[in-house]
Structure formats: structure tokens, C-alpha cells
Amino acid sequence: MSNSKWSGPKSSPSSPTSRGLSSCALVCLITLLAPTTPAQTPSDTYQSPDVFKTRQTPASASMPQTTSDAQIDKRVEELLREMTLEEKVGQLTQIFFLPMLNTAADERVRKGEIGSFLFVTDPAVINRLQRIAVQESRLKIPILFGFDVIHGFRTVFPVPLALASSFDPALIEKVQTIAAREAAAVGIKWTFAPMVDIARDARWGRVVEGAGEDPYLGSVIAAAQVRGFQGSNVADPDRLLACVKHLAGYGASEAGRDYDSANLSDSELHNVHLPPFKAAVDAGVGSVMSAYMNLNDVPATANSFLLQDTLRRDWGFRGFVVSDAFSVRDLVTHGFARDPADAAVRAFTAGLNMDMGSDTYTANLPQLVEQGRVAMSVVDNAVRAILAAKVRLGLFERPYVDEARAKQIQGTPEHRQAARVAAQRSAVLLRNEGDLLPLTKNDPAISSIAVIGPVANTGREMFGPWSLAGNPDEAITIVQGIRNKVGPKVKVEYARGGEVRRTYASIFEIFERGPKPAPLTPEQQDAELAAAVELARRSDIVVMALGEIQNMSGEVATRASINLPGRQQELLERVVATGKTTVLVLVNGRPLDISWAAEKVPAILEAWHPGIEGGNAIADLLFGDANPGGKLPVTFPRDVGQVPIYYALNRTQKPEDAPDFTSRYLDIPSSPLYPFGYGLSYTKFEIRNLRLEKPQIRLGETVEVQVEVENTGRRTGDEVVQLYIHQRAGSASRPVRELKGFERVTLAPSEKRTIRFRLGPGELRFWSTAERRWVQEDGDFDVWAGADSRASLHAVLKVTQ
Ligand code: NOJ
């Protein structure tokens, strides 16, 4: 894998915005523009004649394509001229397709009432529905099939949080290229990814779907994913339309409770939560999904500040926006819209093109247009963006897929090999006392290995959430991976040691194959635990695999505790008490409180949900055929009481080290268990000689930063060199550190490399609450380079007027 280097997103500053002001201004403007009739209700004031029109179209915001804009426009206009209102609303409608529920679907497709389906994954069904659309509907407009291709399709890759741990955008781009190829082969041309919500609260289950806590890392990874899905030409049959989600602030839902309100300051919104979305738009993402929750009291699905002011006006986005599932209808549940008609008008006139799942547009938009509450020109603009995407994707030319080819493309050996490499590169070595790892293959002292733990031998746990098109039986479990690695001469025995269950079941369990076993009785749990301890006693070495089951992270997977669930902590303590050398492998989708293990277990490897080749990759890592080089994209707390916890916090007036009054906890250290950016290797690195090309620059100038890294150990390995900055004073307080560059390098023993970063306006600017705009300010900046967010190599950069 080639080295990847990232420094500074190439974005230009957005125009100044203020949530309160701009929303209000927009409403006032719309009120003035709206035609007044005596029958008007207050909701009419949301009407905007040009709500879906992009006012500026910077080149950076265009989706990659070969067909010219003029050709696309021509085709779209021709269609639009022919369309009835009902057919237009059909293009704004997406419904879930589950064969048992959709008996009326064929007829609706025939009548042109459905522009998009989600959740169809069978190429034969896709072709059948497409044939109805293309051959039997009046205007022959093809259907856009969407699906959550989040971390692979049939070839399931490590979960997104794991991929983010690789700090390797080139790898991530490649992963999504493969995912796109497999999904496109069955006829899915639209993925609801990347999910770029910044997450700093480990209780929130959807931490697993994003790139972690940091806006810089998140932005780089967002862009890499868009490139991976869409490629340089989205009309390529192997590519998909990407959909960046969930705009915006979903990761900040209160107390980590899924769907709950997010109350975000302007500074957090602009500096932390919006940048990855902006990066995706700059990379040409074709669509955007609105978030479920209230953002500062206005549901994101009907939030014109997000969908209009920010996305279209400031960023020049030209694609279309889809709601999250049922979120248009749920504007009523939110206590925001009076009734479904009000919900439709408010989502639509806020800038939401497509209604996912709820049919609220279908049921209400035609009447709203007839009543004059929504202008036909607004509907036309909303439809234009969707038709344009279908033209760009080449759906009119190639509506069908080759069903035989679709099968051949899935889960090929090359795709599985890529998944293995991805899992190797995503793992993070958290502890390795006395260089216990790597284990030696053919070690005469190891003739038996106990593999213990509820997540060690199941494909589902290798997959993690959002892997609905994968078959867990095709996954290599940790037990299988270790057996493959050590061969028949070493006895590898497995004991589950009890089971892990959610107290409240997940809706996603309906997708699980096979019968669901009854829960273990307490006596059965005791017996499994005892059997596992016994196995540890009679084995030479123990590999424990502990963590979370598949649906303990992802959507509807909020946890109040972030401990090892079930009786796994007890299992771990009892196994360690046998005195047997124990290695802990973590399989999970969020940071866990592993404080006990961090002191008592000599080696800990964070594997996350590692995907279809997870077991083989873990065995590669445990036995030294791969060297861990991943880093944490999220801070690991010592205790759930510390969340939200993240490295880029603001300094208080009484910092942790103040002598008397201090902001620290009275019962535990304030520091995390493992910091952001942290991860060990089987070799050692020295990072030294931090140099600024010049100590002083003027506002607007760029300086090169150099730092040297050397592998001083005895194995080839990877280091992620990280660059952090801190603006010492300014119009607003700035975080103590902010990541502004990183590079993952592979170095042989004694090999050195000079890493070059650039610090310029893109890295030094921030959104100032005091100024209510993006600013770059003069003053002193600390610059650090190192191997994690505690980096200590230091220099000072002066920025002058
Ligand atoms: C709801 C989820 O929030 C969203 O991320 C997903 O894409 C849709 N459902 C469709 O599955």
C-alpha cells in the first residue's frame, strides 16, 4: 500500500453565516416573496420560489461526469416538459422495497409514481422493476436503486471507524471502489454513504459508522470515500452516486441517545461538524441526506439554514437532498409540523428534494401545488436535480444489469484480499508489555492455544452493523484465522465463555439469518464461564476476543454503559487469574472502558469489527505477518462519566494542572485511557527535528513544516506522523490542539523519511463566534509533531499582519 499524505483540505472559506440571523432573514425574505391569498395559513410563509436553485456553482462542487452540463440540461428539460405533476412528485419519492410489503409497487412504478427504491439487492428483482419503469411507464424514466453500502457489499470490509483507524485515505478510497463495483454489479447505483458525522460520545451507537472525533481527519476521509464511490466519472458502470450524511450535527445528540436533539453552538457547528460535509461537497458528492434530529430546535429535515444557506448558497452544492427514512412524516412526531401536509411543505420548501420512505410528498405535494402553497417552479427545480443525477449516472443508456456478471463480481479473491489488508491496517495495538506480541509461529512452547470469548467465533461479529448484503457464513472468524495460521500441529480450542445480548432487542435483528437461540439461563452462563476458565488452564496461551455483538453499535444502539457487556469482564478477570499468558483482542464498534484490562492484560489489540477476512487479518497481526500501524480516531475514556471526551478541547481558566481550583474530576484523572491518534507497533520509531521553513509568515501565506521519522526498531512497520497546531490567543478561544496534517509511512529498520506538511490559510483559519465569520488571525501558533495527540516536538509559528 502506498504511503498517503494529507495536509489541509483545499476548501475556500465559506461566506459568513449565522444560524439565527440567516434562518430569520430567509424566512423574512420568503414571506415577502410569497404570493398572498386570503386562504393562506402561516405555513405558506415558508414558500420559496427558488429553493432548489444553486446560486453559485464553483467547479469544485461538480460531480465527476463525462456528459456535458448542457447535454444533461437539455435531456432534463425535455423530460420535464412532458411530465405531469404526479410524475414529478414520483421522482421525489423513494420507497423501501421489501417483497412482502410491496405488492402494489409494480403498479406504482408503471404509473411513474416512484423515482427510487431502497433495499432491493437482488439483480433479478432490480431488472424486473426497472423493466416496468423503462418499458411500461409513460416517460420511461429509470429507477434509481439505493442501498446502505457502508463498508462493503458482499465483501464486507472493516467498519468505518476501523477504516478511519488506518489513517490511510488511499486504502479507504480503494475499499469504497470495490464496494461500489460489487453494488453496481447488482444494479444499485446509489449508496447512502459516506456517513461523516463527528462523534465524541461513545454512548452513541453510530460512532461506528463515521471517522471518529476529528473534523480534519473526518474531512480527509469523507473526500476519499466520495472519490472511491464516484470515481472520476460517475457514469462508469462500476461506480455509484454517493450520499453524504446526515446533515448535520447528528453525532452530537444529547447524552448519545440516538435521534435525540443536538444543541450546538455556531462554533461547534462550523468548526467541528460541518467541515467533513463541506469536504464531501468539494469532492463532488452527488447527494446529501438530512439528519433525523432537531438541530437547535429545528429538525434537520426541514432546516433551511442547513439545506439552503449552508449547502446550496455557501457551498454551491448542485446535487439533491434526500430525507432520512420517514423523517418527513416524523416532522409531526417532532412537534414541529402540524400535520403531514405541513410536514411536506416545510421539508420541501427548506430544500429537501426526495422523501425517503414516508410517502408524505406523494400524499400532499400535488394538492399543495394545486392550492398554490408550493409553486410548480419549485417542484421543477427539485425534480431537475434528481433527473440530472439519473442522466449523469448513465441510467437512461444502461438501465439493466447483467445478472450473470453480478454474481461473478461478488466476493472475488482479490476483493477478499483487499479486505484482509484493510483489516490489518485498521487494527490498533493498545498495549504490548514486554513485547509479548507478536507470537512466534512454530514456537515449541506453544502447542495449545485457547481462544475464548463470545465474539471469537461468529461471522456476524466480524461484520458489525450495516452489512446486510454480506453472508456472515463467509466470514473468517478469529478461531478459524488462528487455526489457518498455526496449522494442525497446534491444538486450537474454543470456548465461548457465555453470551452477550442486548437488554432491548434491535430492529436490525430481523435481518439475521437462522433461528434465534433462547437466552442462556444463569446456570448455563456459569457453566460456559467455568468451561472457558478450565480451557485456559489447560492451554499454553490464551487469546481472548471480547467486545460487542453486531447490533450493539450502529443505528438504535445507544448504550448507557461502555463497559465490556454481559459477564465478559468477569470472564476476563477469571482467565487472567489462571496466570496463563493472555492476549486480548477487542471486537467492537465504539470506544470501550477497558481500564482494568489496560493495567492487567499485557497485550491488547483493538480489531474493531474487522470484516469478512477479520480472523485471518487478526492472526496475521498476532503472529507478526502484519505489523499493527493503526491509530485511534477516537479518544478512549477511563470511565463513561468522562464522555463527551476529545483531545481538541478548549483550555479552561482553571486547567487540570492548576494548584487549587481545577476543572479536573475528584475521583479519576481527567486524562483519557488512550488518546486520539494513539497506537503502538512491533517496532519503534523516533520522530525528530521539527523544522519550519521560516518562523514567521504573513496572513494568507503558507509555510512548509518538516519532520523526520526513523524506524529505530528491528522490524518493518508503519508510523502515522501527525501535525497539530494551537492558536495561542485570538478573537475566540481555540482548542488546545487541532490535527492539521498526517502521513502514514512504512519504514524498514533504520530507514528514515522526511515528512513535509503545509500550514496555510486553510489550516490556520477558523470560524469565530465573536466575528461570526471565517477568520485567519495574526499571532503565535504552537506547532507539534509526533505519534499521537500528545505529540511533544514543538515549534512556534508567528503569523503577522
Ligand atoms: C436510517 C439511517 O439513519 C440512514 O443512515 C440510512 O441510510 C437509512 N435509514 C436507510 O437505510
PDB file of all heavy atoms in Angstrom, residues 15-45:
ATOM      1  N   SER A  15     -18.795  31.718   3.011  1.00  0.00           N
ATOM      2  CA  SER A  15     -19.211  33.053   3.399  1.00  0.00           C
ATOM      3  C   SER A  15     -19.715  33.028   4.825  1.00  0.00           C
ATOM      4  O   SER A  15     -20.132  31.998   5.329  1.00  0.00           O
ATOM      5  CB  SER A  15     -20.318  33.549   2.499  1.00  0.00           C
ATOM      6  OG  SER A  15     -20.641  32.626   1.543  1.00  0.00           O
ATOM      7  N   PRO A  16     -19.647  34.180   5.474  1.00  0.00           N
ATOM      8  CA  PRO A  16     -20.092  34.217   6.844  1.00  0.00           C
ATOM      9  C   PRO A  16     -21.561  33.826   6.946  1.00  0.00           C
ATOM     10  O   PRO A  16     -22.362  34.219   6.125  1.00  0.00           O
ATOM     11  CB  PRO A  16     -19.890  35.670   7.247  1.00  0.00           C
ATOM     12  CG  PRO A  16     -19.708  36.423   5.986  1.00  0.00           C
ATOM     13  CD  PRO A  16     -19.189  35.458   4.990  1.00  0.00           C
ATOM     14  N   THR A  17     -21.876  33.049   7.929  1.00  0.00           N
ATOM     15  CA  THR A  17     -23.280  32.721   8.157  1.00  0.00           C
ATOM     16  C   THR A  17     -23.539  32.774   9.638  1.00  0.00           C
ATOM     17  O   THR A  17     -22.659  32.600  10.446  1.00  0.00           O
ATOM     18  CB  THR A  17     -23.617  31.289   7.705  1.00  0.00           C
ATOM     19  OG1 THR A  17     -22.736  30.407   8.362  1.00  0.00           O
ATOM     20  CG2 THR A  17     -23.557  31.120   6.217  1.00  0.00           C
ATOM     21  N   SER A  18     -24.764  33.010   9.977  1.00  0.00           N
ATOM     22  CA  SER A  18     -25.159  32.910  11.359  1.00  0.00           C
ATOM     23  C   SER A  18     -26.465  32.173  11.363  1.00  0.00           C
ATOM     24  O   SER A  18     -27.373  32.511  10.635  1.00  0.00           O
ATOM     25  CB  SER A  18     -25.350  34.297  11.935  1.00  0.00           C
ATOM     26  OG  SER A  18     -26.523  34.344  12.697  1.00  0.00           O
ATOM     27  N   ARG A  19     -26.536  31.128  12.160  1.00  0.00           N
ATOM     28  CA  ARG A  19     -27.732  30.299  12.151  1.00  0.00           C
ATOM     29  C   ARG A  19     -28.970  31.135  12.404  1.00  0.00           C
ATOM     30  O   ARG A  19     -29.897  31.165  11.637  1.00  0.00           O
ATOM     31  CB  ARG A  19     -27.599  29.213  13.213  1.00  0.00           C
ATOM     32  CG  ARG A  19     -28.808  28.339  13.316  1.00  0.00           C
ATOM     33  CD  ARG A  19     -28.565  27.261  14.332  1.00  0.00           C
ATOM     34  NE  ARG A  19     -28.113  27.806  15.588  1.00  0.00           N
ATOM     35  CZ  ARG A  19     -28.932  28.326  16.487  1.00  0.00           C
ATOM     36  NH1 ARG A  19     -30.215  28.375  16.266  1.00  0.00           N
ATOM     37  NH2 ARG A  19     -28.464  28.811  17.611  1.00  0.00           N
ATOM     38  N   GLY A  20     -28.949  31.861  13.531  1.00  0.00           N
ATOM     39  CA  GLY A  20     -30.126  32.633  13.892  1.00  0.00           C
ATOM     40  C   GLY A  20     -30.453  33.657  12.820  1.00  0.00           C
ATOM     41  O   GLY A  20     -31.550  33.692  12.287  1.00  0.00           O
ATOM     42  N   LEU A  21     -29.451  34.434  12.473  1.00  0.00           N
ATOM     43  CA  LEU A  21     -29.693  35.520  11.536  1.00  0.00           C
ATOM     44  C   LEU A  21     -30.138  35.044  10.172  1.00  0.00           C
ATOM     45  O   LEU A  21     -31.128  35.496   9.634  1.00  0.00           O
ATOM     46  CB  LEU A  21     -28.394  36.314  11.358  1.00  0.00           C
ATOM     47  CG  LEU A  21     -28.139  37.373  12.416  1.00  0.00           C
ATOM     48  CD1 LEU A  21     -26.829  38.054  12.116  1.00  0.00           C
ATOM     49  CD2 LEU A  21     -29.296  38.353  12.462  1.00  0.00           C
ATOM     50  N   SER A  22     -29.383  34.047   9.625  1.00  0.00           N
ATOM     51  CA  SER A  22     -29.664  33.684   8.251  1.00  0.00           C
ATOM     52  C   SER A  22     -31.021  33.005   8.133  1.00  0.00           C
ATOM     53  O   SER A  22     -31.746  33.241   7.187  1.00  0.00           O
ATOM     54  CB  SER A  22     -28.573  32.792   7.699  1.00  0.00           C
ATOM     55  OG  SER A  22     -28.381  31.712   8.553  1.00  0.00           O
ATOM     56  N   SER A  23     -31.377  32.152   9.111  1.00  0.00           N
ATOM     57  CA  SER A  23     -32.670  31.489   9.017  1.00  0.00           C
ATOM     58  C   SER A  23     -33.767  32.528   9.049  1.00  0.00           C
ATOM     59  O   SER A  23     -34.715  32.501   8.283  1.00  0.00           O
ATOM     60  CB  SER A  23     -32.876  30.534  10.183  1.00  0.00           C
ATOM     61  OG  SER A  23     -31.831  29.636  10.205  1.00  0.00           O
ATOM     62  N   CYS A  24     -33.595  33.498   9.951  1.00  0.00           N
ATOM     63  CA  CYS A  24     -34.603  34.514  10.114  1.00  0.00           C
ATOM     64  C   CYS A  24     -34.707  35.337   8.829  1.00  0.00           C
ATOM     65  O   CYS A  24     -35.784  35.591   8.313  1.00  0.00           O
ATOM     66  CB  CYS A  24     -34.239  35.389  11.299  1.00  0.00           C
ATOM     67  SG  CYS A  24     -35.232  36.856  11.399  1.00  0.00           S
ATOM     68  N   ALA A  25     -33.519  35.687   8.307  1.00  0.00           N
ATOM     69  CA  ALA A  25     -33.511  36.500   7.097  1.00  0.00           C
ATOM     70  C   ALA A  25     -34.211  35.769   5.963  1.00  0.00           C
ATOM     71  O   ALA A  25     -34.987  36.350   5.206  1.00  0.00           O
ATOM     72  CB  ALA A  25     -32.076  36.817   6.707  1.00  0.00           C
ATOM     73  N   LEU A  26     -33.956  34.482   5.875  1.00  0.00           N
ATOM     74  CA  LEU A  26     -34.548  33.701   4.796  1.00  0.00           C
ATOM     75  C   LEU A  26     -36.068  33.678   4.931  1.00  0.00           C
ATOM     76  O   LEU A  26     -36.807  33.904   3.978  1.00  0.00           O
ATOM     77  CB  LEU A  26     -34.009  32.272   4.821  1.00  0.00           C
ATOM     78  CG  LEU A  26     -34.443  31.446   3.621  1.00  0.00           C
ATOM     79  CD1 LEU A  26     -33.652  31.858   2.389  1.00  0.00           C
ATOM     80  CD2 LEU A  26     -34.275  29.980   3.894  1.00  0.00           C
ATOM     81  N   VAL A  27     -36.525  33.419   6.173  1.00  0.00           N
ATOM     82  CA  VAL A  27     -37.968  33.368   6.396  1.00  0.00           C
ATOM     83  C   VAL A  27     -38.587  34.709   6.037  1.00  0.00           C
ATOM     84  O   VAL A  27     -39.623  34.793   5.377  1.00  0.00           O
ATOM     85  CB  VAL A  27     -38.284  32.969   7.854  1.00  0.00           C
ATOM     86  CG1 VAL A  27     -39.767  33.141   8.147  1.00  0.00           C
ATOM     87  CG2 VAL A  27     -37.856  31.537   8.112  1.00  0.00           C
ATOM     88  N   CYS A  28     -37.913  35.821   6.452  1.00  0.00           N
ATOM     89  CA  CYS A  28     -38.463  37.152   6.167  1.00  0.00           C
ATOM     90  C   CYS A  28     -38.533  37.383   4.660  1.00  0.00           C
ATOM     91  O   CYS A  28     -39.545  37.848   4.132  1.00  0.00           O
ATOM     92  CB  CYS A  28     -37.613  38.244   6.791  1.00  0.00           C
ATOM     93  SG  CYS A  28     -37.594  38.106   8.569  1.00  0.00           S
ATOM     94  N   LEU A  29     -37.450  37.008   3.967  1.00  0.00           N
ATOM     95  CA  LEU A  29     -37.389  37.200   2.531  1.00  0.00           C
ATOM     96  C   LEU A  29     -38.501  36.415   1.853  1.00  0.00           C
ATOM     97  O   LEU A  29     -39.228  36.913   1.001  1.00  0.00           O
ATOM     98  CB  LEU A  29     -36.022  36.719   2.018  1.00  0.00           C
ATOM     99  CG  LEU A  29     -35.802  36.822   0.523  1.00  0.00           C
ATOM    100  CD1 LEU A  29     -35.680  38.277   0.131  1.00  0.00           C
ATOM    101  CD2 LEU A  29     -34.551  36.066   0.122  1.00  0.00           C
ATOM    102  N   ILE A  30     -38.646  35.170   2.306  1.00  0.00           N
ATOM    103  CA  ILE A  30     -39.650  34.303   1.698  1.00  0.00           C
ATOM    104  C   ILE A  30     -41.047  34.863   1.969  1.00  0.00           C
ATOM    105  O   ILE A  30     -41.916  34.840   1.114  1.00  0.00           O
ATOM    106  CB  ILE A  30     -39.499  32.881   2.266  1.00  0.00           C
ATOM    107  CG1 ILE A  30     -38.208  32.266   1.715  1.00  0.00           C
ATOM    108  CG2 ILE A  30     -40.681  32.008   1.914  1.00  0.00           C
ATOM    109  CD1 ILE A  30     -37.768  31.051   2.456  1.00  0.00           C
ATOM    110  N   THR A  31     -41.226  35.391   3.162  1.00  0.00           N
ATOM    111  CA  THR A  31     -42.524  35.969   3.496  1.00  0.00           C
ATOM    112  C   THR A  31     -42.862  37.081   2.512  1.00  0.00           C
ATOM    113  O   THR A  31     -43.977  37.199   2.031  1.00  0.00           O
ATOM    114  CB  THR A  31     -42.488  36.539   4.923  1.00  0.00           C
ATOM    115  OG1 THR A  31     -41.950  35.553   5.774  1.00  0.00           O
ATOM    116  CG2 THR A  31     -43.873  36.928   5.405  1.00  0.00           C
ATOM    117  N   LEU A  32     -41.849  37.871   2.185  1.00  0.00           N
ATOM    118  CA  LEU A  32     -42.094  38.971   1.258  1.00  0.00           C
ATOM    119  C   LEU A  32     -42.410  38.475  -0.148  1.00  0.00           C
ATOM    120  O   LEU A  32     -43.249  39.013  -0.853  1.00  0.00           O
ATOM    121  CB  LEU A  32     -40.854  39.881   1.193  1.00  0.00           C
ATOM    122  CG  LEU A  32     -40.618  40.727   2.436  1.00  0.00           C
ATOM    123  CD1 LEU A  32     -39.313  41.476   2.305  1.00  0.00           C
ATOM    124  CD2 LEU A  32     -41.776  41.708   2.620  1.00  0.00           C
ATOM    125  N   LEU A  33     -41.695  37.401  -0.536  1.00  0.00           N
ATOM    126  CA  LEU A  33     -41.845  36.912  -1.901  1.00  0.00           C
ATOM    127  C   LEU A  33     -43.100  36.074  -2.100  1.00  0.00           C
ATOM    128  O   LEU A  33     -43.601  35.941  -3.201  1.00  0.00           O
ATOM    129  CB  LEU A  33     -40.621  36.060  -2.273  1.00  0.00           C
ATOM    130  CG  LEU A  33     -39.309  36.829  -2.390  1.00  0.00           C
ATOM    131  CD1 LEU A  33     -38.170  35.864  -2.648  1.00  0.00           C
ATOM    132  CD2 LEU A  33     -39.393  37.866  -3.498  1.00  0.00           C
ATOM    133  N   ALA A  34     -43.586  35.468  -1.016  1.00  0.00           N
ATOM    134  CA  ALA A  34     -44.695  34.532  -1.167  1.00  0.00           C
ATOM    135  C   ALA A  34     -45.955  35.243  -1.628  1.00  0.00           C
ATOM    136  O   ALA A  34     -46.295  36.302  -1.126  1.00  0.00           O
ATOM    137  CB  ALA A  34     -44.961  33.849   0.172  1.00  0.00           C
ATOM    138  N   PRO A  35     -46.646  34.647  -2.614  1.00  0.00           N
ATOM    139  CA  PRO A  35     -47.892  35.265  -3.052  1.00  0.00           C
ATOM    140  C   PRO A  35     -48.920  35.203  -1.926  1.00  0.00           C
ATOM    141  O   PRO A  35     -49.052  34.173  -1.273  1.00  0.00           O
ATOM    142  CB  PRO A  35     -48.325  34.380  -4.231  1.00  0.00           C
ATOM    143  CG  PRO A  35     -47.600  33.099  -4.072  1.00  0.00           C
ATOM    144  CD  PRO A  35     -46.387  33.376  -3.264  1.00  0.00           C
ATOM    145  N   THR A  36     -49.585  36.276  -1.655  1.00  0.00           N
ATOM    146  CA  THR A  36     -50.545  36.257  -0.549  1.00  0.00           C
ATOM    147  C   THR A  36     -51.964  36.093  -1.086  1.00  0.00           C
ATOM    148  O   THR A  36     -52.388  36.790  -1.999  1.00  0.00           O
ATOM    149  CB  THR A  36     -50.468  37.557   0.269  1.00  0.00           C
ATOM    150  OG1 THR A  36     -50.436  38.634  -0.656  1.00  0.00           O
ATOM    151  CG2 THR A  36     -49.264  37.598   1.157  1.00  0.00           C
ATOM    152  N   THR A  37     -52.656  35.154  -0.534  1.00  0.00           N
ATOM    153  CA  THR A  37     -54.062  34.960  -0.869  1.00  0.00           C
ATOM    154  C   THR A  37     -54.803  34.887   0.456  1.00  0.00           C
ATOM    155  O   THR A  37     -54.214  34.531   1.468  1.00  0.00           O
ATOM    156  CB  THR A  37     -54.287  33.643  -1.636  1.00  0.00           C
ATOM    157  OG1 THR A  37     -53.994  32.583  -0.738  1.00  0.00           O
ATOM    158  CG2 THR A  37     -53.447  33.535  -2.869  1.00  0.00           C
ATOM    159  N   PRO A  38     -56.078  35.193   0.465  1.00  0.00           N
ATOM    160  CA  PRO A  38     -56.810  35.198   1.731  1.00  0.00           C
ATOM    161  C   PRO A  38     -56.779  33.847   2.432  1.00  0.00           C
ATOM    162  O   PRO A  38     -56.840  33.765   3.646  1.00  0.00           O
ATOM    163  CB  PRO A  38     -58.248  35.562   1.322  1.00  0.00           C
ATOM    164  CG  PRO A  38     -58.157  36.103  -0.059  1.00  0.00           C
ATOM    165  CD  PRO A  38     -56.905  35.595  -0.663  1.00  0.00           C
ATOM    166  N   ALA A  39     -56.659  32.750   1.640  1.00  0.00           N
ATOM    167  CA  ALA A  39     -56.728  31.416   2.254  1.00  0.00           C
ATOM    168  C   ALA A  39     -55.433  30.999   2.933  1.00  0.00           C
ATOM    169  O   ALA A  39     -55.331  29.922   3.478  1.00  0.00           O
ATOM    170  CB  ALA A  39     -57.094  30.404   1.183  1.00  0.00           C
ATOM    171  N   GLN A  40     -54.426  31.877   2.892  1.00  0.00           N
ATOM    172  CA  GLN A  40     -53.117  31.438   3.384  1.00  0.00           C
ATOM    173  C   GLN A  40     -53.090  31.080   4.864  1.00  0.00           C
ATOM    174  O   GLN A  40     -53.736  31.725   5.674  1.00  0.00           O
ATOM    175  CB  GLN A  40     -52.097  32.530   3.153  1.00  0.00           C
ATOM    176  CG  GLN A  40     -51.392  32.320   1.852  1.00  0.00           C
ATOM    177  CD  GLN A  40     -50.248  33.256   1.717  1.00  0.00           C
ATOM    178  OE1 GLN A  40     -50.240  34.311   2.328  1.00  0.00           O
ATOM    179  NE2 GLN A  40     -49.291  32.876   0.923  1.00  0.00           N
ATOM    180  N   THR A  41     -52.300  30.066   5.166  1.00  0.00           N
ATOM    181  CA  THR A  41     -52.052  29.691   6.562  1.00  0.00           C
ATOM    182  C   THR A  41     -50.621  30.105   6.860  1.00  0.00           C
ATOM    183  O   THR A  41     -49.849  30.385   5.942  1.00  0.00           O
ATOM    184  CB  THR A  41     -52.182  28.178   6.732  1.00  0.00           C
ATOM    185  OG1 THR A  41     -51.152  27.585   5.970  1.00  0.00           O
ATOM    186  CG2 THR A  41     -53.532  27.678   6.296  1.00  0.00           C
ATOM    187  N   PRO A  42     -50.219  30.121   8.151  1.00  0.00           N
ATOM    188  CA  PRO A  42     -48.859  30.560   8.457  1.00  0.00           C
ATOM    189  C   PRO A  42     -47.787  29.758   7.724  1.00  0.00           C
ATOM    190  O   PRO A  42     -46.740  30.277   7.408  1.00  0.00           O
ATOM    191  CB  PRO A  42     -48.755  30.327   9.968  1.00  0.00           C
ATOM    192  CG  PRO A  42     -50.171  30.338  10.457  1.00  0.00           C
ATOM    193  CD  PRO A  42     -51.010  29.842   9.326  1.00  0.00           C
ATOM    194  N   SER A  43     -48.055  28.489   7.397  1.00  0.00           N
ATOM    195  CA  SER A  43     -47.003  27.689   6.761  1.00  0.00           C
ATOM    196  C   SER A  43     -46.674  28.188   5.360  1.00  0.00           C
ATOM    197  O   SER A  43     -45.620  27.884   4.831  1.00  0.00           O
ATOM    198  CB  SER A  43     -47.406  26.221   6.710  1.00  0.00           C
ATOM    199  OG  SER A  43     -48.586  26.097   5.972  1.00  0.00           O
ATOM    200  N   ASP A  44     -47.560  28.973   4.765  1.00  0.00           N
ATOM    201  CA  ASP A  44     -47.256  29.499   3.436  1.00  0.00           C
ATOM    202  C   ASP A  44     -46.010  30.367   3.435  1.00  0.00           C
ATOM    203  O   ASP A  44     -45.356  30.531   2.418  1.00  0.00           O
ATOM    204  CB  ASP A  44     -48.430  30.333   2.917  1.00  0.00           C
ATOM    205  CG  ASP A  44     -49.648  29.458   2.671  1.00  0.00           C
ATOM    206  OD1 ASP A  44     -49.442  28.304   2.265  1.00  0.00           O
ATOM    207  OD2 ASP A  44     -50.738  29.919   2.909  1.00  0.00           O
ATOM    208  N   THR A  45     -45.698  30.929   4.571  1.00  0.00           N
ATOM    209  CA  THR A  45     -44.555  31.823   4.626  1.00  0.00           C
ATOM    210  C   THR A  45     -43.242  31.086   4.385  1.00  0.00           C
ATOM    211  O   THR A  45     -42.220  31.706   4.217  1.00  0.00           O
ATOM    212  CB  THR A  45     -44.463  32.519   5.992  1.00  0.00           C
ATOM    213  OG1 THR A  45     -44.408  31.519   6.975  1.00  0.00           O
ATOM    214  CG2 THR A  45     -45.625  33.457   6.218  1.00  0.00           C
TER     215      THR A  45
END
